[in-house]
Amino acid sequence: MPVRRSYDNCVTTLTLDSPHNRNALSARLVGELHEGLARAAAHPETRAVVLTHTGNAFCSGADLSEAAPTGPQEVARLLRTVLELPKPVVARVHGHVRAGGLGLLGACDIAVAGPEASFAFTEARLGLAPAVISMALLPRIDQRAAARYFLTGERFDAAEAARIGLITSAGDPDELLRPVLDGLRRASPQGLAESKRLVTAEVLRVFDRDAQGLVEQSARLFASVEARESMTAFLEKRDPSWVR
């Protein structure tokens, strides 16, 4: 199973457990993640959902090895599900995060990352753009930093991710989560749900306004000549033709 589910002391933990493909958003993983989130939402004793992972990657984005990779529409739906869940979703990261994984991280209400974590928006290097995931990210992160990292594809660490607002805190994930989860356990279900509505309202307004156009943009870019060149270059272990 690419998503393992467990429950302890008012917290449901969903663990992305598909290290062979760096926890990519395969159809099966996305389906099981939706199921795990729905079960947590319906579980009366759950106060929070912790989203974590096995292996050295939190999530690498779409699984391009599939005959029909998870498309932008499905990614947008997954991000919206996390945002609309009536219980807070807390990301615990100790590995690399790329592409759609960054959108999943951005959709979480609270996120902590350890010193092994790294982050990069590599889409521009592949003839693409972080279109769909930008809806969960741009309302929350520093705009100058977004411009730099969206455009350059540079890799950055957890301390920088915290500085720009991509994550909440950088450090030992377990130490960082202890006071967070203690606080969430003391909150009422109604208080959590209504407070989450407040902090996600602006992000969801962006989804309402922009989702269709950004899904169409993403699909167009994935079908482009430059995207095909980047995939060919990857398989042939060379730089794409535009690299200078």
Side-chain angles (χ1 to χ4, degrees):
M1 295 177 62
V3 178
R4 290 191 286 108
R5 181 168 49 89
S6 62
Y7 171 81
D8 180 61
N9 193 17
C10 299
V11 176
T12 290
T13 299
L14 300 178
T15 303
L16 306 184
D17 189 21
S18 184
H20 73 280
N21 65 356
R22 304 176 74 233
N23 292 316
L25 296 173
S26 65
R28 186 177 178 191
L29 184 144
V30 170
E32 290 188 8
L33 191 49
H34 274 295
E35 180 182 356
L37 291 168
R39 290 192 177 191
H43 187 237
E45 296 303 314
T46 292
R47 293 291 180 271
V49 177
V50 170
L51 184 61
T52 189
H53 63 100
T54 61
N56 64 1
F58 172 72
C59 179
S60 59
D63 186 354
L64 299 179
S65 68
E66 291 190 313
T70 301
Q73 189 77 52
E74 290 78 14
V75 172
R77 177 172 171 257
L78 176 61
L79 302 187
R80 182 151 200 157
T81 295
V82 174
L83 288 161
E84 291 184 331
L85 203 78
K87 302 178 181 185
V89 181
V90 180
R92 180 190 183 280
V93 178
H94 53 86
H96 310 307
V97 193
R98 301 290 186 271
L102 286 155
L104 185 58
L105 183 64
C108 293
D109 303 289
I110 299 168
V112 301
E116 307 90 352
S118 74
F119 310 83
F121 296 93
T122 55
E123 288 88 346
R125 298 185 178 188
L126 304 173
L128 306 171
V132 169
I133 66 172
S134 73
M135 293 187 288
L137 294 165
L138 289 179
R140 291 180 162 175
I141 67 176
D142 178 83
Q143 297 300 293
R144 284 294 187 183
R148 173 178 177 175
Y149 293 121
F150 276 28
L151 294 170
T152 68
E154 294 171 82
R155 190 166 73 170
F156 54 98
D157 63 13
E160 177 70 353
R163 186 191 72 80
I164 69 174
L166 177 62
I167 64 172
T168 310
S169 305
D172 181 281
D174 293 327
E175 289 185 8
L176 293 170
L177 281 185
R178 193 172 297 116
V180 169
L181 296 180
D182 286 346
L184 295 175
R185 290 186 184 102
R186 296 177 67 85
S188 79
Q190 176 176 278
L192 287 173
E194 294 304 319
S195 296
K196 177 166 177 172
R197 285 180 190 272
L198 295 175
V199 296
T200 58
E202 180 57 35
V203 185
L204 287 169
R205 279 193 284 270
V206 173
F207 272 74
D208 290 340
R209 184 189 68 206
D210 296 339
Q212 188 57 45
L214 290 173
V215 164
E216 292 172 358
Q217 177 189 6
S218 183
R220 174 175 56 81
L221 291 173
F222 268 99
S224 69
V225 171
E226 288 190 8
R228 289 197 297 273
E229 162 62 10
S230 69
M231 287 292 97
T232 301
F234 174 78
L235 294 173
E236 295 177 352
K237 296 182 171 55
R238 62 171 175 82
D239 287 333
S241 60
W242 52 78
V243 173
R244 297 291 182 267

